[in-house]
Amino acid sequence: MSVSLQRLRELLSFAHPSGDTVALSGMTGDSRHDALVHIYHDVLPQIARQRGRLQRFRQLEAVCQEIEPALAELECQTSAAPLPLSPAARTSALQVDNLIKRLAQCYADIAHSASKRSGNETAPLFYRATQRVITLLARRQLLAHRACALPSARSWLQLHALYQMTCHPGRQALNGDTAPIEHEYLGALLLAYFDPQRQPRGDLDTVYRCARQLAPYAVVSVARREALAQQTTSPHFLVRVEEAHPGLPLSHQSADEPKTGGLLIDCTEVLAAIDRNLAHQPGQTLQPELAAPPALLQSLRLALDGRSARRFGRIRFRPRADLVNGLDEVIAFLDGGACSRRLLDTPEDGNPRPFVSGEWSLVNESPDGFLARFVRGKRSSFGVGQIVALQPRESCRTHVCLVRRVIAGRNRLELGLQLLSPQVSVVILPDGDRAIFLHGLPAWGAQAGLIVSPNTLRSGQQLSLKIFGQTIERRIGRVMEANEGLEFFTLEQPS
């Protein structure tokens, strides 16, 4: 761990009137785990026991600065860990979460203590400590998303309470002290509205940065009946501060549910800012400039605009299925492996299979997808946009799906899967590579589709494919999906 013992001694060594000092001798030679445990159990409690609020604040700032590299590294490890998280990865993530939680509590104690004192001397400390608490709570929520888990309900209650205590729109106008707090709060709300569980895990940091950049463009007001009557349902969100939730779109509110009370979050200008980035031309001045690819920005726009709602109801049932993840393994599974998928089966040639299947429970099914829950088998780095092959037990039919949502809990991993085509085949490309031919794409029209390795084909390219012993001519159409694991094209009839 890159925590300098001498640096912490210089920053944190302080004297009480009684002469007590912070003991950091246990830091020498400790591993990263032991060092974080030392900070959690020894350093932070000793800081919290001090009487001087300003001194405590400075010491907390020093601790945060010193442990930041280690926290960032552990957060990245959580993002990259296969799902469901192994016991070691889960322990590491929980350790980071507990440390951030205790840091937030230390800052919150300073803020609550300063709020009880009136005067110009305590106000700056009160606002700065409150901002730190909200930033840390938002970071805890981001850590939960890194593990594909839901943020804690209590964190939302704390965020709502802190915002109301400092920036309630019905009480005072924003100023230089309160505006940064409101922006941190809105950044946390926007991150939730962007639905991180529908975004690739590798893009979470980018989504988080976009939420923070776009936070100043959201507008908060008190949810009054007359104000709500003038608003369109999208993209407006209703936040009930007494509920442990970031709020729901107005379009999701039932007609008989009272819409007064709480906060109204108007994201109209947030959408406009995303649209400016999507329409940006080189050389044009752009504000804000979001460092995100167009495909991700479009995904954020759809999540915020409320158009990604489920089109079909779910049918609950729980048969078991075998699931294979990754383009190469899915192709091998489709190309004869699905018929010998049982874990106890032995391939006829005695060679190991080019794929490893896991056992999953099909919790729900709709006409265009599944909700699958992990039971046992291979751990993998599941992410949004990946391809999987799913075959229910005692069935000869294989479904090829894209992962659209990843939900991970302490002892549970669930995937929201979009069914791509009712019929699929493995085809050989002119260069000898294998690809997945989708005979029909119900969600995108009547045309066929093709899933290949990245950088294999380009739009407009002519192809000759052999399907069921017959050669067909097709032209590569537009890109429907692209990531580090695959490219998904539509196929068009040649002109």
Side-chain angles (χ1 to χ4, degrees):
M1 176 181 177
S2 59
V3 177
S4 166
L5 172 62
Q6 184 59 37
R7 174 63 175 159
L8 282 174
R9 280 176 172 164
E10 293 173 357
L11 293 171
L12 300 181
S13 60
F14 54 90
H16 299 282
S18 62
D20 295 335
T21 60
V22 173
L24 297 176
S25 58
M27 293 288 291
T28 304
D30 283 350
S31 66
R32 178 170 52 200
H33 168 79
D34 293 335
L36 290 178
V37 169
H38 175 73
I39 292 171
Y40 179 85
H41 287 290
D42 299 322
V43 176
L44 294 182
Q46 291 190 57
I47 292 176
R49 287 194 291 267
Q50 307 313 306
R51 296 179 180 177
R53 289 185 295 271
L54 183 58
Q55 184 75 348
R56 275 186 283 160
F57 183 85
R58 290 172 176 170
Q59 290 156 1
L60 290 173
E61 294 286 272
V63 170
C64 289
Q65 180 180 357
E66 290 299 319
I67 67 176
E68 175 58 32
L71 287 182
E73 181 181 350
L74 289 171
E75 288 170 331
C76 290
Q77 290 177 4
T78 301
S79 293
L83 297 173
L85 295 181
S86 66
R90 188 165 58 247
T91 299
S92 176
L94 183 61
Q95 181 186 47
V96 174
D97 182 72
N98 286 336
L99 183 56
I100 296 175
K101 183 178 180 180
R102 176 155 286 186
L103 280 169
Q105 184 58 52
C106 290
Y107 279 111
D109 291 341
I110 296 174
H112 287 297
S113 176
S115 68
K116 299 176 182 178
R117 299 292 184 93
S118 59
N120 295 330
E121 294 182 357
T122 59
L125 180 61
F126 166 65
Y127 290 121
R128 290 173 63 193
T130 302
Q131 182 181 350
R132 293 292 191 275
V133 180
I134 294 180
T135 302
L136 288 168
L137 290 175
R139 188 167 184 172
R140 282 191 69 202
Q141 294 183 339
L142 179 63
L143 178 64
H145 292 306
R146 292 181 189 277
C148 296
L150 293 175
S152 71
R154 180 171 173 76
S155 68
W156 284 117
L157 293 174
Q158 291 175 303
L159 283 170
H160 297 329
L162 289 165
Y163 176 75
Q164 288 190 102
M165 185 172 66
T166 54
C167 307
H168 196 287
R171 298 174 189 163
Q172 60 183 357
L174 292 182
N175 55 41
D177 291 321
T178 56
I181 296 175
E182 179 168 292
H183 292 164
E184 292 287 347
Y185 175 68
L186 288 172
L189 293 181
L190 284 179
L191 179 63
Y193 300 157
F194 286 151
D195 204 352
Q197 291 176 323
R198 288 186 179 271
Q199 313 302 336
R201 289 175 80 195
D203 289 338
L204 277 177
D205 287 324
T206 303
V207 175
Y208 179 69
R209 287 194 300 270
C210 289
R212 291 174 64 87
Q213 284 182 269
L214 292 166
Y217 295 84
V219 178
V220 190
S221 61
V222 178
R224 296 189 177 95
R225 188 178 303 277
E226 57 274 13
L228 291 171
Q230 300 175 3
Q231 305 294 348
T232 58
T233 57
S234 181
H236 294 79
F237 296 80
L238 183 61
V239 178
R240 299 193 183 281
V241 294
E242 72 279 3
E243 297 180 358
H245 194 273
L248 293 173
L250 287 182
S251 57
H252 291 186
Q253 303 288 322
S254 61
D256 57 348
E257 185 175 358
K259 296 182 180 180
T260 56
L263 303 173
L264 180 66
I265 314 298
D266 182 354
C267 297
T268 304
E269 291 303 318
V270 176
L271 276 183
I274 295 176
D275 287 339
R276 289 197 296 272
N277 278 265
L278 287 170
H280 175 61
Q281 298 295 327
Q284 291 181 343
T285 302
L286 187 63
Q287 188 66 30
E289 186 172 357
L290 304 174
L296 179 60
L297 290 178
Q298 185 64 32
S299 178
L300 299 184
R301 192 192 192 287
L302 291 174
L304 195 64
D305 202 22
R307 296 180 185 175
S308 59
R310 183 180 296 137
R311 295 178 299 159
F312 303 102
R314 293 288 190 183
I315 302 172
R316 299 188 64 83
F317 74 123
R318 299 193 177 216
R320 296 299 173 91
D322 293 300
L323 185 142
V324 172
N325 177 41
L327 181 59
D328 291 338
E329 293 198 9
V330 169
I331 290 176
F333 189 72
L334 295 173
D335 197 16
C339 296
S340 60
R341 65 192 185 283
R342 300 296 182 259
L343 297 176
L344 299 179
D345 289 349
T346 301
E348 294 181 0
D349 57 8
N351 295 322
R353 298 187 185 92
F355 61 86
V356 179
S357 63
E359 183 179 345
W360 292 69
S361 171
L362 300 182
V363 180
N364 284 317
E365 181 183 8
S366 71
D368 67 343
F370 303 90
L371 178 63
R373 180 176 298 166
F374 177 78
V375 176
R376 62 173 179 160
K378 174 187 176 184
R379 296 181 184 272
S380 180
S381 297
F382 289 100
V384 174
Q386 291 181 341
I387 187 172
V388 301
L390 186 75
Q391 186 174 31
R393 294 287 175 89
E394 312 307 330
S395 171
C396 62
R397 186 173 184 181
T398 302
H399 306 284
V400 173
C401 308
L402 286 179
V403 178
R404 290 307 188 192
R405 180 185 287 270
V406 181
I407 308 169
R410 180 179 294 273
N411 298 308
R412 187 177 71 180
L413 170 64
E414 293 180 347
L415 302 179
L417 305 176
Q418 179 185 11
L419 181 62
L420 294 180
S421 176
Q423 186 178 9
V424 297
S425 301
V426 176
V427 295
I428 306 299
L429 300 178
D431 61 1
D433 288 344
R434 295 187 298 173
I436 298 176
F437 180 81
L438 308 169
H439 292 251
L441 302 173
W444 292 277
Q447 71 266 45
L450 195 67
I451 298 179
V452 299
S453 300
N455 304 315
T456 302
L457 301 174
R458 65 183 185 278
S459 295
Q461 182 177 347
Q462 299 283 344
L463 282 181
S464 294
L465 301 173
K466 183 171 287 189
I467 305 293
F468 300 139
Q470 296 184 350
T471 301
I472 62 172
E473 300 292 330
R474 292 293 185 269
R475 182 177 64 241
I476 300 297
R478 58 194 178 108
V479 179
M480 305 303 298
E481 198 90 17
N483 53 55
E484 66 276 6
L486 60 85
E487 285 184 323
F488 171 23
F489 294 93
T490 59
L491 291 179
E492 303 170 348
Q493 293 285 350
S495 54

